[in-house]
C-alpha cells in the first residue's frame, strides 16, 4: 500500500518484463536482428542458389521480398520441331535457401 491508501501493483503486473533492458543497449537495434545480405542492391545480378532439397537454381534476381525472391531464367521450349527461347520466373522462399552466390 502506498500513501493515501492506494495500491501500487508490482513491476511485472505493469507490463515491464524483468529482462527488457537486455534487449536494447542504448539506441542500438535489438540483439537478434542484423542486416539482411539479400537486399535490393543485388537486383539484376546473376545469382546461384542451393536449396535445402539439394537443388541448385541459377538466374537473374528480378524481385525481392521479405520472405521470398524471384529469379528470371532463360529456358528453351520445344513444340514438335519448333524450338523457342523464353524467360521463366521462379519464386523461391527464403526459408528454403541454404547458400546464395553472386556470379560475376
Amino acid at each position: 500500500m502506498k500513501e493515501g491508501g492506494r495500491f501500487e501493483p508490482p513491476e511485472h503486473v505493469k507490463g515491464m518484463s524483468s529482462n527488457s533492458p537486455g534487449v536494447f543497449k542504448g539506441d542500438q537495434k535489438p540483439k537478434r536482428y542484423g542486416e539482411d545480405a539479400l537486399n535490393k542492391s543485388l537486383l539484376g545480378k546473376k545469382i546461384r542458389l542451393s536449396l535445402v532439397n539439394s537443388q541448385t537454381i541459377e538466374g537473374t534476381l528480378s524481385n525481392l521480398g521479405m520472405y521470398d525472391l524471384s529469379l528470371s531464367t532463360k529456358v528453351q521450349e520445344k513444340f514438335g520441331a519448333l524450338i523457342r527461347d523464353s524467360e521463366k520466373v521462379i519464386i523461391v522462399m527464403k526459408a528454403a535457401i541454404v547458400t546464395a552466390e553472386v556470379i560475376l
Side-chain angles (χ1 to χ4, degrees):
M1 290 288 235
K2 292 284 185 178
E3 297 176 14
R6 293 182 306 166
F7 174 74
E8 187 70 28
E11 195 175 290
H12 69 278
V13 178
K14 290 182 193 175
M16 296 180 182
S17 65
S18 60
N19 60 359
S20 62
V23 176
F24 293 96
K25 288 186 176 181
D27 296 332
Q28 296 178 356
K29 293 180 181 179
K31 289 181 181 176
R32 59 183 287 210
Y33 298 106
E35 189 174 324
D36 194 0
L38 285 171
N39 54 27
K40 298 278 184 188
S41 66
L42 297 176
L43 287 174
K45 294 189 179 178
K46 194 163 183 155
I47 293 182
R48 180 183 299 135
L49 301 175
S50 58
L51 306 177
V52 291
N53 62 355
S54 301
Q55 271 189 317
T56 304
I57 300 173
E58 197 171 303
T60 305
L61 186 64
S62 60
N63 202 352
L64 185 64
M66 184 182 289
Y67 301 109
D68 60 349
L69 54 89
S70 58
L71 294 173
S72 298
T73 60
K74 294 191 179 193
V75 180
Q76 284 189 351
E77 295 178 339
K78 192 173 186 179
F79 299 105
L82 180 66
I83 298 174
R84 71 173 186 177
D85 292 332
S86 65
E87 194 167 304
K88 300 261 182 184
V89 177
I90 300 170
I91 300 172
V92 181
M93 299 301 290
K94 283 185 176 179
I97 299 172
V98 176
T99 61
E101 295 178 64
V102 178
I103 303 169
L104 299 177

